[in-house]
DNA sequence: TTGAAAGCGCTAACAC
DNA sequence: GTGTTAGCGCTTTCAA
């Protein structure tokens, strides 16, 4: 039993394709009776327009690709990071609300994987340095939306997190709580974000006349980061009095590590993690987090994308999305 | 500058559409020179076939929808669960390898949200009880792939996790380690999986002549589950000697909770969590986990989907995917 | 107010 | 071997 087509239902209703199409789409000038009749017949026959045919006619498929760089080696691990999980969900939801569907693409996918898809644009959530995908997409004249690392390339647009604010807000908060030896833990990755955090940290310390204390985790992921935390907290006679972890590590694990080394949080050590992980709320004490606002990033990105696609917006400076510090007991001096 | 079409490049190469099409698709019988010439011209002009037109011709878009039930109230929170994160990634990767792209759909989405998409099938990862989406899809004659709860409905196919094995393997392991008062914590949800776990637990306890100890968390999510853990471990004079948490809760949080109440793990209490969360490896001691094998579920599901779509496979019994117990120090008696 | 016909870009019979 | 042609199912001028 083949699917009901527009012609089928037109014939059944004794009308023409044109009339039925207009009736169902609410276009054209038709008498109410005819419109009603067409709709009735459609319902009765279970007619559903063929999406592909419509897309062909329309010239666009309202489909956007979504690529994320892999964390560690395994593609898709990214989704296990609360930040990317939320970014992904928020992107899909926002896009859908604007009439665009999102298809998931693995990082490092080849032309052959996405060439068969009618993509209007592609969002590259976290471009991996050596990934060819951005160039390939631009060469295929598919608009790319990514982070600031694509800035300046024709056809590429960006939205990014304000890395300077990340460091500034947290260290200002530590400072206000009396900390004078804050230490930073950040992965030794080539990601633009981590480089910016590092730079912002140096600048902040210089501006405040404090020593630049920082430890780089060998790579992202809980294992290496926890190790780096242990290193950071173990240093010499002058122990740090505050710790900022910018690595999406599990807050309970970081807290446990600090305790194992003999710190009381927040007594001897103020703690804050850049993380979207809700477990931070459930530890004892709850852990202060700095949210990168994946939902806001997604919204800004999709808004930008829609503007470019639908109003042919050409050059814009991109957008820097603000972050949010959620102060909890782990970074508040008891008094 | 409009996009290069097949006709454009045919004219440029001095060939017909047919010839060029055949040359690029590797079909038909063409002289090597002609084929090469066509390919050259295509490359030179930057010709890329229009995906929508191909789909229309082919009759299918090789696009599948992917819907997940929301955890708590917020749609998309699911992605923050390591299980669903991996299931999602594995589904997308497996599907893509088979030539199908996956589009992300929010739970509870209306017809209007997916009707405009040329979906060949839809995967419903975790059907929410009162979600109309499954009926709507089936009514639209779109094949649905989901868990066992759709069993028996025409057009619906399933793959599921073996809930009995989840409970059996873990409790057998506890029992072998000498535990005689294992307690189960499971969310009080209407999810089929949780109901099955509950039933399997009763059956196992009855079969082994042990008391049925269990506590239901008010809902999924770390907060309620940790509370339930506290309740479970606090009970009366006969304290439990083993704890199984089937709720995708954060292993470090569960461990910390047990400690706060005064348990030594694994001294007084053996601990295992059903979880894909890799933080389990990094606690002290590391936490035993039972993996629901989201990657295996995805593979089985997509294999099934492809068989149905491409070989018109009709009735099959569905598949039960095995689970994997990763024994770590938290559930091994010292000594 | 309604209908006939062209055409979106591609592929595959079928003729040459 | 290569080209001509007829659609895939839909929307939309344009004519009646």
């Amino acid at each position: 039993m083949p699917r009901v087509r527009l012609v089928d239902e037109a014939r059944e209703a004794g009308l023409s394709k044109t009339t039925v199409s207009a009736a169902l789409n609410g276009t054209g000038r038709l008498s109410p009776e005819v419109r009603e009749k067409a709709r009735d017949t459609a319902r009765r026959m279970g007619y559903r327009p063929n999406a592909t045919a419509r897309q062909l006619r329309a010239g666009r498929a309202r489909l956007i690709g979504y690529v994320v760089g892999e964390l560690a080696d395994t593609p898709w691990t990214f989704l296990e990071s609360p930040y990317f999980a939320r970014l992904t969900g928020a992107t899909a939801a926002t896009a859908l609300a604007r009439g665009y569907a999102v298809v998931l693409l693995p990082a490092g996918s080849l032309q052959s994987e996405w060439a068969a898809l009618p993509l209007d644009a592609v969002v590259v959530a976290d471009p991996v340095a050596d990934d060819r995908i951005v160039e390939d997409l631009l060469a295929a004249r598919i608009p790319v939306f990514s982070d600031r690392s694509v800035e300046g390339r024709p056809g590429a647009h960006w939205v990014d997190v304000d890395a300077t604010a990340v460091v500034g807000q947290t260290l200002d908060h530590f400072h206000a709580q009396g900390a004078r030896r804050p230490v930073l833990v950040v992965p030794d990755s080539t990601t633009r974000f981590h480089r910016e955090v590092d730079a912002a940290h140096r600048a902040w310390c210089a501006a405040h006349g404090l020593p630049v204390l920082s430890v780089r985790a060998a790579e992202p992921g809980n294992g290496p980061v926890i190790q780096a935390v242990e290193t950071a907290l173990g240093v010499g006679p002058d122990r740090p009095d505050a710790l900022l972890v910018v690595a999406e590590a599990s807050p309970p694990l970081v807290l446990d590590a600090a305790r194992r080394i003999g710190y009381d949080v927040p007594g001897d050590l103020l703690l804050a993690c850049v993380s979207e992980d809700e477990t931070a709320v459930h530890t004892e004490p709850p852990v202060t987090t700095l949210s990168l606002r994946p939902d806001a990033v997604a919204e800004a990105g999709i808004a930008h994308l829609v503007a470019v696609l639908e109003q042919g917006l050409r050059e814009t400076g991109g957008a820097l999305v603000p972050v949010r510090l959620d102060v909890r007991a782990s970074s508040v001096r008891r008094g």
Side-chain angles (χ1 to χ4, degrees), chain A:
Chain A
M1 189 163 80
R3 193 163 146 174
V4 183
R5 295 162 307 164
L6 188 60
V7 245
D8 301 325
E9 101 117 292
R11 192 174 306 120
E12 173 82 13
L15 298 166
S16 81
K17 292 195 321 177
T18 313
T19 309
V20 173
S21 174
L24 298 179
N25 293 323
T27 56
R29 295 155 293 283
L30 305 176
S31 67
E33 306 88 60
V34 171
R35 177 153 291 170
E36 205 39 58
K37 177 173 189 183
R39 291 196 168 150
D40 259 11
T41 318
R43 217 177 342 255
R44 200 159 44 72
M45 300 181 74
Y47 167 71
R48 293 189 318 113
N50 179 309
T52 305
R54 283 189 149 173
Q55 289 172 3
L56 180 59
R57 191 68 242 281
R60 330 168 286 163
R62 302 192 75 95
L63 203 59
I64 67 188
Y66 180 86
V67 187
V68 269
E70 57 244 48
L71 259 40
D73 281 329
T74 1
W76 300 111
T77 350
F78 75 87
L79 269 182
E80 288 171 55
S81 134
Y83 175 79
F84 284 115
R86 289 202 192 175
L87 184 67
T88 306
T91 300
T94 311
L96 217 49
R98 305 273 209 145
Y100 290 82
V102 168
V103 323
L104 246 26
L105 261 24
S109 35
L110 313 164
Q111 292 260 10
S112 59
E113 313 224 56
W114 49 263
L117 294 167
L119 299 176
D120 294 347
V122 171
V123 173
V124 180
D126 193 22
V128 176
D130 59 344
D131 200 333
R132 286 188 43 78
I133 199 156
V134 173
E135 356 286 302
D136 287 349
L137 289 167
L138 291 177
R141 307 177 80 242
I142 296 176
V144 170
F145 295 81
S146 187
D147 69 14
R148 201 159 185 174
S149 61
V150 300
E151 191 172 10
R153 301 212 231 167
H157 305 83
W158 65 270
V159 164
D160 214 333
V161 150
D162 187 349
T164 306
V166 168
V167 172
Q169 288 193 23
T170 320
L171 295 190
D172 284 348
H173 166 64
F174 281 164
H175 197 255
Q177 296 291 316
R180 291 299 175 269
R181 295 184 55 76
V183 61
L184 171 73
V185 167
V186 65
D188 190 12
S189 78
T190 50
T191 311
R192 179 186 181 86
F193 175 67
H194 291 140
R195 280 204 314 275
E196 287 183 355
V197 163
D198 202 61
H201 175 241
R202 285 168 198 288
W204 189 94
C205 290
H208 291 74
L210 296 181
V212 179
L213 267 37
S214 84
V215 173
R216 319 212 49 140
E219 38 180 330
N222 279 304
V225 171
I226 293 300
Q227 245 187 304
V229 166
E230 288 167 352
T231 307
L233 297 185
V235 284
D238 287 329
R239 302 177 97 194
D241 56 9
L243 169 63
L244 169 58
V245 180
V246 186
E248 190 80 42
S250 161
L253 286 183
V254 173
L255 189 59
D256 285 350
R259 287 206 177 118
R260 274 202 302 278
I261 300 176
Y263 283 84
D264 171 53
V265 175
D268 317 329
L269 185 78
L270 303 181
L271 172 63
C273 294
V274 170
S275 172
E276 312 301 318
D277 195 333
E278 68 112 10
T279 59
V281 177
H282 300 293
T283 52
E284 194 45 52
V287 174
T288 292
T289 54
L290 192 131
S291 168
L292 265 21
R293 311 278 314 282
D295 44 338
V297 173
E299 258 167 58
I302 294 299
H304 195 166
L305 181 149
V306 170
V308 170
L309 256 40
E310 299 183 358
Q311 282 127 49
L313 195 59
R314 213 75 188 86
E315 287 311 318
T316 47
L320 229 41
V321 175
V323 297
R324 172 170 39 77
L325 183 67
D326 293 308
V327 176
R328 305 203 183 87
S330 76
S331 68
V332 179
R333 280 263 183 269
R334 285 189 280 253

